[in-house]
């Protein structure tokens, strides 16, 4: 009877706690303060994007945030993650936004939603579906009828997920962002009037309100960019602003001379590109800035508190005058307080000490990390050259190379092929390359052309009867800045030899790698630098997180049990390992498949117990 009574009271206590947090609440802005249930409230938030973390790990990462002392989680919503094809929406399984929000509520965190429609986030095309570019009358981020119609469809679907989970409906959602970092875009697109820019951004806000968003709205921009980015009726917040006086002055100017004051993105780490050093931010700097915000009553959101991984083809790219493109790593570790595999870093522990001093009650224990395993050498028993497989596919034929978009392919690769009936010797120019390619004559590698290093040409000596192959990879669409409107992929302008266009009889083989292709394997000698597919099975007695060591390979993608783990480019770095979540492994038989673009004879791979993200190859 005593045992029954004890369990009864335990269940009653748990139920009362859950009921207390799930009851309808109030969150708003009054007298220059955030007000939660009639009391002043400071937002101490961390950003984590649910698509970058396996759903089985959401609760663990959220508990890590709670144990650090945060009270809120912020997430972007990626439009192109949920609209898989035009009109085909998916909010289930790994894409279950509602479940992520409810999990945050179970852990005891409030939620801030950043739905864009543009999100940046080092994510493919800033979150936009690639096929928007197929509509020639549509221009993104503009007061454009065709574009706004698509935005309205997206916001309507989004609202179905988050409106029932707003705080006034018993959920944890306390704020929603309207557009994202629009001020910087306005500053770069001076060809568009400020009046038109503001028409567009205000229409996005109106769509959100129309579809039932009733919690406070906000915008986020650099503190000098509020003129273009602020929206009437939405709280302006300052991204990355470390100077308290500048922060308050900027917000006061666009918020009626008062707060609340918030930094919607404070950077305890930074983003990383292929072929560039891995960026680190010191713990001392992060601790100092955090204490300064708290001391001055500034709310803030760590971007990122936990970065996760750009699985598959989800990573985006930046653009500047020195690099036509700066593709982002597969790892989105971000040097964040919670590392890519969910480990508590020294930065995490130092920040936890700050929040513990502020709390009268002891913070919850830091959750134990997921178990890590290592996998011994896996020998690839099956291999074949892509050239020996590709003829199974029917090519698209055209007089000039077509873009990925024209070929109705969003990501992956396209093999461009042409046969010659006369000799051609000189410089092969591919100025419209987007983004990376290897060039072959009769299956023999002749060189690399690469948008990252702005190398668009190489010497070529073609004989009558020769076959030219150009295997082009989309390394991620630009996600930030004015060049986001120039995001076609593949070969987007004429290929030339000695300045003369190579016209007619182009064959194109789209290779989307939505799933690993089911080609036949055959064992025979494969030419150096050929593109190859490889497959092997391996057995595990136990599962756990691990890190695939790619240092012996060149460039390509890896599938584990049918899941695209992401890109590697070990030839340049700095990322040399690929994170494999243990929940995607199985006891017993597992399958690994690799598409290797620069085969140099290696036919094995193994895993190690730690990531290598900072080994740049000169």
């Amino acid at each position: 009877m005593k045992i029954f009574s004890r369990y009864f009271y335990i269940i009653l206590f748990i139920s009362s706690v859950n009921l207390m947090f799930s009851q309808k609440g109030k969150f708003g802005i009054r007298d220059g303060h955030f007000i939660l249930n009639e009391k002043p409230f400071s937002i101490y938030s961390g950003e984590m994007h649910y698509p970058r973390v396996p759903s089985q790990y959401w609760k663990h990462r959220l508990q890590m945030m709670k144990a650090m002392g945060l009270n809120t989680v912020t997430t972007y919503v990626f439009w192109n993650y949920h609209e898989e094809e035009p009109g085909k929406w998916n909010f289930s399984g790994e894409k279950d936004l509602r479940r992520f929000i409810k999990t945050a509520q179970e852990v005891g965190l409030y939620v801030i939603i950043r739905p864009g429609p543009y999100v940046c986030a080092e994510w493919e095309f800033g979150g936009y579906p690639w096929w928007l570019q197929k509509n020639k009358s549509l221009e993104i981020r503009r007061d454009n009828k065709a574009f706004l119609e698509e935005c309205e469809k997206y916001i309507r679907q989004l609202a179905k997920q988050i409106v029932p989970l707003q705080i006034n409906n018993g959920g944890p959602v306390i704020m929603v962002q309207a557009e994202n970092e629009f001020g910087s875009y306005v500053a770069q697109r001076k060809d568009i009037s400020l009046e038109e820019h503001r028409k567009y951004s205000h229409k996005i806000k109106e769509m959100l309100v129309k579809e039932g968003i009733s919690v406070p709205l906000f915008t986020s921009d650099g503190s000098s960019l509020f003129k273009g980015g602020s929206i009437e009726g939405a709280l302006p917040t300052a991204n990355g602003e470390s100077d308290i006086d500048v922060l308050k002055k900027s917000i006061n100017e666009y918020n009626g001379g008062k707060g609340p004051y918030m930094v919607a993105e404070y950077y305890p780490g930074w983003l990383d590109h292929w072929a560039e050093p891995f960026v680190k931010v010191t713990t001392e700097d992060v601790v100092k800035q955090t204490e300064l915000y708290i001391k001055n009553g500034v709310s803030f959101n760590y971007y990122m508190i936990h970065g996760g991984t750009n699985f598959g083809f989800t990573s985006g790219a930046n653009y500047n005058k020195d690099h036509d493109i700066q593709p982002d790593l597969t790892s989105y570790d971000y040097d964040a307080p919670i590392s890519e595999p969910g480990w508590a870093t020294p930065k995490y522990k130092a920040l936890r000490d700050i929040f513990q001093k502020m709390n009268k009650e002891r913070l919850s224990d830091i959750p134990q990390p997921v178990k890590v395993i290592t996998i011994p050498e896996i020998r690839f028993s099956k291999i074949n050259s892509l050239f020996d497989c590709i003829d199974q596919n029917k090519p698209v034929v055209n007089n000039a190379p077509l873009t990925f978009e024209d070929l109705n392919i969003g990501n992956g690769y396209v093999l461009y092929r042409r046969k010659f009936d006369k000799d051609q010797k000189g410089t092969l120019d591919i100025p419209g390359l987007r983004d990376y390619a290897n060039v072959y004559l009769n299956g023999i590698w002749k060189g690399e052309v690469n948008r990252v290093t702005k190398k668009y040409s190489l010497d070529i000596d073609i004989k009558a009867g020769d076959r030219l192959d150009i295997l082009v990879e989309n390394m991620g669409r630009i996600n930030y800045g004015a060049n986001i409107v120039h995001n076609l992929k593949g070969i987007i302008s004429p290929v030339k030899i000695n300045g003369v266009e190579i016209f007619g009889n182009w064959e194109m083989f789209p290779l989307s790698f939505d799933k690993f292709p089911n080609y036949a394997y055959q064992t025979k000698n494969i030419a150096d630098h050929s593109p190859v597919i490889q497959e092997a099975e391996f057995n595990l007695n136990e599962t756990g997180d691990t890190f695939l060591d790619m240092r012996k390979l060149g460039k390509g993608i890896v599938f584990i049990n049918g899941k695209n783990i992401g890109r590697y480019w070990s030839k340049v770095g700095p990322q040399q390992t690929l994170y494999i979540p243990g929940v995607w492994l199985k006891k017993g038989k597992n399958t690994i498949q690799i598409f290797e673009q620069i085969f140099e004879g290696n036919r094995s791979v193994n895993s190690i117990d730690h990531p290598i993200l900072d080994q740049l190859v000169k």
Side-chain angles (χ1 to χ4, degrees):
M1 188 65 182
K2 287 181 180 179
I3 294 174
F4 172 79
S5 177
R6 186 182 305 156
Y7 278 113
F8 173 79
Y9 284 113
I10 289 172
I11 292 168
L12 184 64
F13 173 74
I14 292 171
S15 299
S16 65
V17 170
N18 289 338
L19 179 63
M20 183 170 59
F21 198 74
S22 63
Q23 285 176 333
K24 291 183 180 180
K26 292 182 180 179
F27 181 84
I29 297 170
R30 190 170 70 234
D31 300 326
H33 298 281
F34 292 120
I35 303 295
L36 175 65
N37 297 327
E38 301 305 322
K39 294 180 180 179
F41 182 72
S42 293
I43 296 172
Y44 301 135
S45 174
E47 185 123 355
M48 164 187 161
H49 305 145
Y50 57 97
R52 286 174 156 143
V53 180
S55 60
Q56 297 94 324
Y57 291 166
W58 288 348
K59 189 169 186 177
H60 176 268
R61 307 303 197 259
L62 293 165
Q63 287 173 330
M64 292 281 290
M65 294 171 59
K66 185 70 175 177
M68 199 182 97
L70 302 181
N71 56 31
T72 304
V73 58
T74 296
T75 185
Y76 276 129
V77 179
F78 303 126
W79 176 356
N80 58 13
Y81 185 64
H82 293 289
E83 190 174 13
E84 298 173 334
E85 299 172 11
K88 180 185 175 185
W89 297 90
N90 186 353
F91 286 93
S92 62
E94 291 288 317
K95 304 186 179 189
D96 193 338
L97 173 57
R98 285 197 197 194
R99 182 156 63 92
F100 176 77
I101 295 170
K102 289 177 179 178
T103 303
Q105 187 173 27
E106 289 171 17
V107 169
L109 294 170
Y110 294 100
V111 178
I112 294 173
I113 301 291
R114 307 177 71 191
Y118 163 76
V119 296
C120 185
E122 291 72 62
W123 187 267
E124 154 76 11
F125 203 9
Y128 292 128
W130 64 267
W131 61 80
L132 294 181
Q133 299 174 107
K134 291 172 67 69
N135 183 345
K136 303 306 179 187
S137 65
L138 184 152
E139 184 175 340
I140 60 173
R141 299 199 90 179
R142 193 164 183 178
D143 186 18
N144 169 276
K145 183 175 183 292
F147 175 58
L148 288 170
E149 285 174 352
E150 295 298 328
C151 289
E152 194 165 22
K153 294 174 188 175
Y154 162 60
I155 289 172
R156 188 174 301 125
Q157 294 292 330
L158 170 83
K160 292 177 184 177
Q161 308 302 315
I162 63 175
V163 166
L165 295 173
Q166 294 179 119
I167 189 168
N168 48 313
N169 292 325
V173 176
I174 58 173
M175 288 208 301
V176 173
Q177 185 177 339
E179 240 287 346
N180 181 50
E181 296 177 327
F182 193 56
S184 60
Y185 190 69
V186 171
Q188 294 175 30
R189 290 298 304 271
K190 296 185 186 300
D191 56 314
I192 304 172
S193 71
L194 179 60
E195 181 185 12
E196 183 184 339
H197 277 306
R198 292 183 67 79
K199 267 187 183 178
Y200 158 70
S201 60
H202 281 70
K203 285 180 179 178
I204 295 299
K205 176 212 163 185
E206 289 163 8
M207 288 180 193
L208 290 165
V209 173
K210 177 186 173 185
E211 294 300 331
I213 303 301
S214 55
V215 294
L217 296 169
F218 71 101
T219 59
S220 63
D221 289 284
S223 57
S224 64
L225 300 167
F226 285 0
K227 183 177 181 180
S230 62
I231 297 174
E232 292 173 19
L235 174 71
T237 67
N239 284 358
E241 185 54 70
S242 59
D243 188 309
I244 302 300
D245 291 336
V246 172
L247 171 71
K248 292 186 175 182
K249 181 181 178 182
S250 301
I251 291 177
N252 285 344
E253 184 178 351
Y254 289 88
N255 196 46
K258 57 186 177 181
Y261 305 109
M262 182 168 180
V263 175
E265 292 187 5
Y266 167 58
Y267 309 111
W270 195 243
L271 59 95
D272 299 285
H273 300 128
W274 292 111
E276 297 177 22
F278 185 86
V279 181
K280 295 185 180 180
V281 178
T282 69
T283 296
E284 292 74 19
D285 285 346
V286 177
V287 166
K288 181 180 178 181
Q289 191 62 47
T290 296
E291 290 176 334
L292 188 65
Y293 287 147
I294 293 170
K295 178 183 175 182
N296 287 276
V298 174
S299 291
F300 54 88
N301 171 50
Y302 292 113
Y303 188 101
M304 302 289 295
I305 194 66
H306 172 55
T309 309
N310 294 315
F311 296 113
F313 297 123
T314 59
S315 58
N318 279 322
Y319 176 93
N320 67 28
K321 58 185 176 66
D322 297 321
H323 302 270
D324 279 356
I325 197 170
Q326 296 170 284
D328 297 306
L329 302 186
T330 296
S331 172
Y332 201 59
D333 177 86
Y334 215 86
D335 193 34
I338 304 170
S339 69
E340 180 181 15
W343 300 344
T345 66
K347 196 177 292 181
Y348 173 97
K349 293 172 182 175
L351 293 173
R352 186 173 188 266
D353 287 343
I354 294 173
F355 288 105
Q356 181 60 82
K357 290 173 185 174
M358 296 169 51
N359 280 272
K360 294 178 182 178
E361 297 181 4
R362 183 174 176 273
L363 294 175
S364 55
D365 292 338
I366 302 172
Q368 290 297 308
V370 175
K371 180 173 63 177
V372 174
I373 64 169
T374 58
I375 303 173
E377 184 180 49
I378 303 167
R379 294 285 302 173
F380 289 102
S381 56
K382 300 176 180 178
I383 187 170
N384 204 357
S385 167
L386 183 71
F387 296 131
D388 292 331
C389 305
I390 202 72
D391 289 331
Q392 299 176 30
N393 297 9
K394 184 177 180 181
V396 176
V397 181
N398 196 60
N399 284 329
L402 297 172
T403 66
F404 275 47
E405 290 74 16
D406 288 333
L407 293 164
N408 207 35
I409 175 177
N411 303 103
Y413 310 80
V414 171
L415 179 68
Y416 295 84
R417 172 173 288 177
R418 192 181 189 279
K419 296 172 184 175
F420 288 78
D421 56 9
K422 61 180 181 179
D423 294 357
Q424 299 268 5
K425 183 177 182 179
T427 302
L428 173 70
D429 285 308
I430 316 175
L433 173 68
R434 303 292 186 270
D435 300 304
Y436 171 93
N438 283 291
V439 178
Y440 303 86
L441 268 183
N442 304 318
I444 305 301
W445 184 74
K446 294 299 175 182
E448 170 193 281
V449 281
N450 185 348
R451 191 179 176 196
V452 177
T453 56
K454 301 176 80 168
K455 180 188 176 186
Y456 292 108
S457 61
L458 53 80
D459 293 335
I460 200 84
D461 187 358
I462 297 173
K463 305 298 183 185
D466 282 353
R467 186 191 78 207
L468 174 70
D469 285 315
I470 307 170
L471 180 59
V472 176
E473 176 188 6
N474 164 11
M475 291 201 69
R477 289 180 178 82
I478 294 166
N479 57 254
Y480 178 78
N483 275 282
I484 195 171
V485 298
H486 305 299
N487 249 330
L488 299 178
K489 292 296 182 178
I491 297 177
I492 70 169
S493 65
V495 176
K496 297 180 180 180
I497 297 179
N498 293 333
V500 178
E501 180 181 355
I502 306 304
F503 188 77
N505 300 315
W506 281 95
E507 295 181 333
M508 285 148 281
F509 298 85
L511 301 162
S512 67
F513 278 90
D514 292 336
K515 57 183 179 180
F516 205 83
N518 186 26
Y519 291 137
Y521 292 97
Q522 51 186 326
T523 303
K524 64 178 186 178
N525 292 332
I526 295 175
D528 191 46
H529 281 74
S530 288
V532 300
I533 55 171
Q534 300 188 79
E535 182 176 321
E537 292 178 353
F538 61 97
N539 286 291
L540 294 175
N541 295 323
E542 61 175 351
T543 62
D545 288 355
T546 194
F547 304 89
L548 207 62
D549 187 350
M550 309 308 296
R551 286 175 289 183
K552 293 188 291 186
L553 286 90
K555 191 178 198 309
I557 54 175
V558 177
F559 282 70
I560 298 287
N561 294 328
K563 289 185 179 290
N564 187 340
I565 298 299
R567 296 184 179 90
Y568 61 92
W569 194 4
S570 308
K571 288 287 186 183
V572 302
Q575 179 174 354
Q576 299 292 341
T577 56
L578 287 174
Y579 170 58
I580 302 177
V583 290
W584 293 352
L585 294 170
K586 300 179 290 187
K587 285 186 178 180
K589 187 174 74 174
N590 294 263
T591 302
I592 180 171
Q593 297 161 306
I594 291 182
F595 174 48
E596 166 63 68
Q597 296 163 245
I598 313 174
F599 181 69
E600 293 181 325
N602 183 67
R603 295 188 58 175
S604 69
V605 71
N606 62 281
S607 82
I608 57 179
D609 62 2
H610 61 280
I612 302 174
L613 302 176
D614 57 359
Q615 287 190 8
L616 188 65
V617 180
K618 299 292 185 182

